[in-house]
Amino acid sequence: MDQKASPAAFNADGNNSNQPPEVIALQPLAVVDHLCSVTEDTLKSVLAQEEIGGSRRISQQQVQDMLAQIGEFHSKAGGSNANTIRGLAAGFGVQCELVGARGYDEWGAMFASSMKRSMVGIGKMRIQQGPTGRCVILICNGQRTMRTCLGEAARMVADDLSVQDFSGAKWLLLSGYCFYGKQLLQRAIELAAEAKVKVALDLASFEIVQSFKQELQDVLEGGRVHCCFCNEDEAAELIHKEGQGSRAQPEEALAYLSQHCELAVVTLGDKGCIAKRKGEQEIVQEPACSGVTVTDATGAGDLFASGFLYGMLRQYSLQKCCRMGCLAGGAIVQTLGAEMTQANWKWLFDRLHGALAASAVRDSATAVHHELLGCYALIEKLGRGVVYYGSARLKQDSPHWGRAVELGQRVAELLGCTTWSGGGPGMMEAATAGAQSIKAAVGGIRISREAGTTVRTASYLPAECAVFCRFLSSRKVALVDCGVRAKESDQTAYIFLPGGLGTMDELFEIMTLVQLKKLGSKLSVPLILCNYDGFYDGLMNFLSTMVQNGTVGTPELTNIMVASSNEEVLDCLTSFYKLPRTSHGTQLTLHRASSLIKRDSQKELPDVGTMSRVNSAVA
């Protein structure tokens, strides 16, 4: 779950009652999509002499007749902005709310139920007399032909809006379809400015741009639209001039949009997208996802906006925002309609974070997925670094405490990266305290209960530097990711201070991931055992026993280093990353677990009697 939300906190209106929404979307009228997958023959029969593709208005009776002729269809809540915030809320765990109107009928009730089920707040939706909007979508070979029935539908008008509709949000999402309501879009932008809410505008369709070009240009040039989305057809029409022969290029439209908006994005279909920030020369390009089989293009642009907005909310780079958008758009076209299935989200998640994170999403898949998104947002914000593992039970009176504090400080000085831990007490707190003493960056992936404690412990970490997980699987995956080297220049490490069962669990998991080459990067990461006072001697004997019995190969332990002191830990890191040594520093002997085990493997295994005495001592 995103770190700011808990599934249990949603009230009867679908939203989290404890927090204001991050994104509010204006959809003047609710729309229910009737999705019909048809053959070419059926399509021609239903449309008669009408043109295939595009959109056209029809009556309520024509909707009924068309659906009766087709026979089999699926009904889902639709509408561009509803699709976008449903993706943000249900898939990315963002607090969202929908402002608009629905009819007092069964289709309006279905629309509201669908939004609530997707955790979208609907407390500001007006219920009006009249029917709910409907749209028949005929899908054949991935192409859509839409027939809409909106003429008599219940809808919101400009005078219905107030500043309270948008207060407290970070972003207001608007669609070009709002131009169909007189001064509705302009009124919404004025109120957003009054409420100090940023505006994201999707140009909606080629027909909208063509019909309302002057109004649209006036709105954009007014400087109150902070982010603008459009596809290449909409972009070309937006800057097309009377008498101009050739079609405008997407880059030209991007240049125009980025003059007036903080962010401009043009989607290019199977070529991906381009984006640009106001005042910057660089054009960011992101290719479309490979290996995608298109079932239905409905909602591709809407879900692209979901992914892109999520990246913006979490302060990702523009390149990653584009990647998030392309992934979400690539996921939705693999299913029928504009509502992502669990399989769609898993596909996106696999592509975004890799097999390691995907393996954590088993039971309670949606909650684990949201927790991981919150964790990765924090990692993206603070940067990867050195991850410390160790016992939560060891306190300040332990001989290991002072060593851990010193180590946290000196490693932070040496590598200059973020100090990560599980954010719990004991060794995790000690190493973090050392980094904090020199004002180095710190972060924590916390769990509700650490071993040896009975309640959630108070945090020594700044609130903005920690995230809580309810599921151990998401916490473990995120902590591993904190130390993965994404590029050659990254200087990270996994450092194991004295610890208990949980520490051993984490250690053997990382060793297994390295063995199977599933750590998430081809770049090696040093794994260091802090063998203070011989704490890990017993473990080394156990690993030696496994090598002797052929259950572990010596080469698999190459990157595990054993350090008896903090000086040796620093020497390990200096040697691994080929860092310059201080003038007074003396190079120590580098101890790799593989070499120690190779040396010890000549010794005889303990006899049964010795093992029995060990077992008795442990008991």
Side-chain angles (χ1 to χ4, degrees):
M1 190 75 183
D2 188 278
Q3 63 262 42
K4 295 185 178 179
S6 168
F10 287 89
N11 63 23
D13 287 328
N15 62 318
N16 185 306
S17 56
N18 299 322
Q19 299 178 41
E22 291 187 79
V23 179
I24 290 176
L26 175 61
Q27 183 159 309
L29 70 161
V31 179
V32 172
D33 289 338
H34 302 298
L35 302 162
C36 313
S37 184
V38 297
T39 64
E40 292 184 16
D41 289 341
T42 302
L43 183 63
K44 291 175 182 177
S45 173
V46 170
L47 295 180
Q49 301 301 315
E50 295 177 15
E51 182 182 357
I52 294 174
S55 177
R56 192 171 69 80
R57 299 287 180 95
I58 60 176
S59 67
Q60 288 272 9
Q61 187 58 53
Q62 287 174 305
V63 169
Q64 297 298 106
D65 293 344
M66 188 173 286
L67 294 177
Q69 185 177 352
I70 293 167
E72 187 175 333
F73 57 90
H74 302 279
S75 298
K76 295 185 177 183
S80 179
N81 279 357
N83 294 337
T84 298
I85 63 164
R86 180 168 53 203
L88 274 170
F92 293 109
V94 175
Q95 296 294 307
C96 295
E97 194 159 11
L98 190 64
V99 174
R102 70 171 179 88
Y104 189 68
D105 58 8
E106 71 274 21
W107 298 114
M110 190 208 111
F111 180 92
S113 177
S114 176
M115 289 294 105
K116 286 167 63 176
R117 192 168 59 251
S118 297
M119 297 186 291
V120 174
I122 58 169
K124 295 175 181 177
M125 285 287 292
R126 281 69 157 173
I127 303 175
Q128 299 178 353
Q129 292 297 324
T132 299
R134 298 166 73 185
C135 179
V136 180
I137 303 178
L138 306 172
I139 304 158
C140 180
N141 299 326
Q143 184 181 20
R144 295 173 296 160
T145 301
M146 296 190 291
R147 295 295 180 261
T148 60
C149 178
L150 308 175
E152 300 175 359
R155 71 185 64 221
M156 175 175 276
V157 296
D159 290 342
D160 293 331
L161 289 173
S162 69
V163 70
Q164 285 75 29
D165 285 320
F166 308 139
S167 296
K170 294 179 180 177
W171 284 88
L172 169 63
L173 178 62
L174 298 174
S175 167
Y177 290 120
C178 288
F179 278 116
Y180 283 127
K182 186 178 180 181
Q183 290 296 305
L184 179 62
L185 189 137
Q186 291 89 335
R187 172 68 173 160
I189 290 175
E190 289 173 6
L191 293 173
E194 186 178 339
K196 295 181 172 55
V197 176
K198 290 188 173 184
V199 172
L201 174 63
D202 189 325
L203 301 193
S205 73
F206 174 86
E207 291 80 12
I208 288 291
V209 178
Q210 190 176 54
S211 301
F212 300 97
K213 183 184 293 188
Q214 188 56 57
E215 294 94 326
L216 181 54
Q217 289 176 343
D218 291 343
V219 164
L220 291 169
E221 291 170 14
R224 289 182 170 180
V225 174
H226 300 82
C227 177
C228 185
F229 300 99
C230 62
N231 64 32
E232 54 189 326
D233 292 332
E234 296 155 5
E237 180 60 25
L238 178 64
I239 61 171
H240 178 77
K241 295 180 180 177
E242 195 76 30
Q244 182 178 350
S246 60
R247 172 187 166 103
Q249 294 301 304
E251 290 78 8
E252 297 176 68
L254 193 69
Y256 168 78
L257 289 169
S258 62
Q259 284 181 341
H260 308 293
C261 307
E262 290 179 7
L263 274 172
V265 189
V266 179
T267 57
L268 307 174
D270 60 4
K271 296 187 292 294
C273 72
I274 54 175
K276 191 172 183 291
R277 291 187 186 276
K278 187 176 185 178
E280 295 184 5
Q281 296 300 314
E282 181 189 10
I283 293 178
V284 171
Q285 301 182 44
E286 179 68 23
C289 301
S290 59
V292 173
T293 301
V294 178
T295 299
D296 173 21
T298 302
D302 304 334
L303 269 295
F304 176 93
S306 296
F308 191 95
L309 284 169
Y310 176 77
M312 284 202 306
L313 288 167
R314 299 299 173 258
Q315 300 178 337
Y316 289 171
S317 67
L318 185 54
Q319 186 77 58
K320 188 161 185 179
C321 289
C322 290
R323 185 180 177 221
M324 296 286 291
C326 287
L327 282 170
I332 193 58
V333 299
Q334 299 177 60
T335 194
L336 193 65
E339 184 172 5
M340 295 268 269
T341 65
Q342 190 61 49
N344 297 140
W345 286 117
K346 185 179 184 306
W347 180 91
L348 185 154
F349 205 58
D350 289 355
R351 289 291 188 98
L352 183 61
H353 297 310
L356 175 60
S359 67
V361 185
R362 297 186 184 101
D363 298 329
S364 304
T366 301
V368 174
H369 167 72
H370 287 176
E371 278 193 352
L372 280 168
L373 284 171
C375 292
Y376 284 122
L378 184 65
I379 297 169
E380 184 82 13
K381 173 184 173 184
L382 299 179
R384 291 176 171 83
V386 176
V387 187
Y388 289 90
Y389 297 93
S391 174
R393 301 175 190 236
L394 298 180
K395 309 303 180 187
Q396 294 188 26
D397 58 357
S398 166
H400 304 313
W401 179 277
R403 296 166 177 166
V405 172
E406 180 198 20
L407 184 64
Q409 175 189 330
R410 296 183 68 184
V411 170
E413 288 175 333
L414 178 69
L415 299 184
C417 59
T418 303
T419 295
W420 287 97
S421 74
M427 294 290 92
M428 295 173 280
E429 180 178 2
T432 304
Q436 288 177 314
S437 70
I438 60 168
K439 298 184 175 6
V442 296
I445 310 294
R446 303 192 66 196
I447 196 75
S448 295
R449 182 181 181 275
E450 295 286 354
T453 67
T454 55
V455 295
R456 178 183 289 187
T457 54
S459 180
Y460 44 85
L461 290 163
E464 68 276 10
C465 296
V467 59
F468 258 106
C469 294
R470 291 188 298 121
F471 297 93
L472 188 61
S473 57
S474 31
R475 185 214 201 184
K476 289 170 67 176
V477 166
L479 275 174
V480 171
D481 192 76
C482 290
V484 171
R485 294 174 66 204
K487 54 186 183 298
E488 193 74 41
S489 59
D490 287 344
Q491 295 177 349
T492 68
Y494 300 109
I495 296 181
F496 283 82
L497 297 158
L501 294 178
T503 305
M504 293 301 100
D505 177 38
E506 303 282 8
L507 171 62
F508 278 95
E509 179 169 19
I510 293 176
M511 288 169 63
T512 303
L513 291 171
V514 172
Q515 179 192 51
L516 299 176
K517 297 181 172 58
K518 290 188 176 294
L519 192 61
S521 172
K522 294 180 180 179
L523 299 172
S524 298
V525 178
L527 190 161
I528 303 174
L529 303 180
C530 294
N531 196 28
Y532 298 151
D533 301 329
F535 184 88
Y536 283 112
D537 283 352
L539 174 64
M540 300 309 298
N541 289 335
F542 176 57
L543 291 175
S544 178
T545 299
M546 288 194 285
V547 170
Q548 290 179 59
N549 281 276
T551 57
V552 172
T554 305
E556 295 163 8
L557 308 176
T558 302
N559 283 333
I560 302 174
M561 304 175 191
V562 184
S564 299
S565 66
N566 288 346
E567 290 293 341
E568 289 188 6
V569 173
L570 295 168
D571 195 65
C572 285
L573 294 171
T574 300
S575 298
F576 189 92
Y577 288 115
K578 299 179 175 57
L579 301 175
R581 298 182 181 277
T582 57
S583 57
H584 59 279
T586 303
Q587 184 169 0
L588 305 174
T589 303
L590 185 63
H591 296 299
R592 293 186 183 272
S594 54
S595 60
L596 292 174
I597 287 171
K598 204 170 190 178
R599 191 170 56 217
D600 291 344
S601 64
Q602 307 303 321
K603 300 177 182 178
E604 291 184 4
L605 291 172
D607 59 29
V608 176
T610 305
M611 291 301 296
S612 298
R613 288 193 296 276
V614 172
N615 292 339
S616 299
V618 171

